[in-house]
Amino acid sequence: MSSSRLLKGVRNSISPILYCDKGYIVLQKPPGLICQLNHSNSSEATARDDSFANDIAQRSTGNVPNDFRLGKILGEEPVPVHRLDKELLLISGQGTTGALVLARSVARARALSQQFQAHTVEKTYLALVRGGEKTFPVKSGEVRTPIQYDDGRASLDLSKNGKPSITEWAVIASSPLIPLSLLRLKLHTGHKHQLRVHLAHSLGAPILGDTQYSRKPISDAVRKACVIPENRTFLHASHLSFFQYKANGPKKRFRLGVTAPLPSDFFKICHDAGIKVDSSEVEGGIWIDGSRVEDGLVPDVEGSWMGDQLVE
């Protein structure tokens, strides 16, 4: 599919529900949605729970099939399981976008939390970074520099006394027009702001829109070629996968993967910069054991892809 056709098909708003089954819901997290709650104060936690539910509800006015009405799902009090970038709160402005999983019961949340702790949940991120082909003399690698924190702000700890931190990275493509590249990232450790500080200070390629770890102005060439929204960090949790279980059959365990469609503003910058993006990452979808599920159905867990239900 041509990039111009893909661009035409990307809309400004994507339904927050990407996938739903009897145990889990995967949402497309927009910038600004709270995705992890700090329950240290019960009254604050209650208020934040209300905001969480209301924020999702306000973004969910599309034509959702009757079996998966968001009001019904919210009535089951979905349980947050993980944070996209390990911050307690991702509030408006600098938040990432992408796949966010919620459990439909405490038991399911506990089971998936155990998978996170066992490192069997796999997460892949896409990032637009400030740096062209010359920034990356090699096209893939790992950053293993430890991270330390001072008043919540991360920095590299060259003395190696900090938290062990591993980020795997690979260049998907660099713009032939401007100093901008698209990277695929995997976290092997999940510390607060790890991706942002590793990219900015180890690779010298800060994430586009990240003003906390790079105060250098965006180049005139980038600004002339692309429209860069204010208060937007171009880091997208593209793919999330974890184990699910069939009720019957010789092989009960399988890996379910959900790809969150690329937000329209993210794709528009790639298009304007001449960076090609695979159509599966633009459109999203679900996968079983690495193979795409073309009809979007996972009958073994009563699952269904819902990412085609777009909000007008």
Side-chain angles (χ1 to χ4, degrees):
M1 184 180 294
S2 68
S3 60
S4 58
R5 184 178 173 187
L6 278 173
L7 181 62
K8 186 177 180 181
V10 174
R11 304 197 190 178
N12 288 332
S13 297
I14 302 173
S15 170
I17 305 177
L18 297 177
Y19 169 82
C20 183
D21 65 29
K22 61 184 180 181
Y24 300 101
I25 309 158
V26 180
L27 304 180
Q28 168 81 307
K29 177 198 171 293
L33 178 65
I34 295 174
C35 72
Q36 183 77 357
L37 306 176
N38 182 349
H39 294 286
S40 58
N41 181 294
S42 58
S43 61
E44 289 182 4
T46 300
R48 288 168 180 166
D49 283 339
D50 291 341
S51 323
F52 179 76
N54 291 337
D55 200 346
I56 295 175
Q58 290 168 5
R59 297 175 184 271
S60 314
T61 56
N63 297 318
V64 179
N66 288 332
D67 288 344
F68 298 103
R69 289 286 182 186
L70 186 58
K72 174 184 175 182
I73 297 170
L74 288 174
E76 296 170 351
E77 299 182 358
V79 183
V81 178
H82 76 291
R83 307 184 285 272
L84 285 181
D85 65 354
K86 299 298 182 182
E87 295 184 55
L88 282 177
L89 296 172
L90 288 178
I91 305 177
S92 60
Q94 298 298 323
T96 58
T97 59
L100 168 66
V101 63
L102 301 177
R104 298 181 72 168
S105 69
V106 172
R108 295 282 185 158
R110 187 179 298 114
L112 191 53
S113 178
Q114 290 172 351
Q115 288 197 48
F116 273 98
Q117 292 173 10
H119 304 290
T120 59
V121 177
E122 296 181 355
K123 295 171 288 180
T124 302
Y125 296 80
L126 297 180
L128 276 170
V129 301
R130 295 164 55 187
E133 188 172 6
K134 293 181 179 179
T135 304
F136 302 99
V138 295
K139 301 306 178 186
S140 62
E142 285 186 350
V143 178
R144 290 179 167 267
T145 310
I147 294 174
Q148 63 181 352
Y149 294 91
D150 182 12
D151 195 25
R153 180 181 172 85
S155 63
L156 301 180
D157 186 351
L158 301 180
S159 69
K160 298 185 179 180
N161 292 323
K163 294 178 179 291
S165 305
I166 304 173
T167 299
E168 182 180 343
W169 62 274
V171 178
I172 297 174
S174 293
S175 169
L177 308 173
I178 55 178
L180 208 62
S181 296
L182 179 64
L183 269 56
R184 180 174 286 110
L185 308 166
K186 289 186 179 181
L187 281 170
H188 293 281
T189 54
H191 302 308
K192 178 181 177 182
H193 293 180
Q194 177 181 317
L195 292 176
R196 293 163 64 180
V197 72
H198 271 177
L199 291 175
H201 297 162
S202 289
L203 295 182
I207 298 172
L208 183 65
D210 183 3
T211 57
Q212 183 170 355
Y213 292 98
S214 177
R215 300 189 182 279
K216 185 178 179 180
I218 297 173
S219 72
D220 291 340
V222 172
R223 289 198 176 278
K224 288 178 181 178
C226 309
V227 177
I228 311 297
E230 296 293 329
N231 300 320
R232 174 78 162 89
T233 302
F234 285 88
L235 176 64
H236 178 65
S238 174
H239 188 79
L240 169 74
S241 72
F242 53 93
F243 288 126
Q244 290 268 52
Y245 294 87
K246 304 175 184 178
N248 302 299
K251 184 182 177 183
K252 293 186 177 181
R253 191 176 79 168
F254 65 95
R255 179 170 287 277
L256 173 72
V258 180
T259 297
L262 203 63
S264 59
D265 58 352
F266 196 124
F267 182 75
K268 179 67 163 56
I269 291 175
C270 291
H271 178 267
D272 292 345
I275 295 174
K276 294 182 179 180
V277 188
D278 188 272
S279 61
S280 66
E281 293 177 315
V282 177
E283 298 167 348
I286 55 176
W287 311 74
I288 292 180
D289 292 332
S291 298
R292 186 174 184 126
V293 180
E294 296 297 340
D295 65 2
L297 300 176
V298 189
D300 290 303
V301 291
E302 301 175 19
S304 178
W305 169 253
M306 302 178 70
D308 292 332
Q309 301 294 330
L310 302 181
V311 178
E312 296 292 345

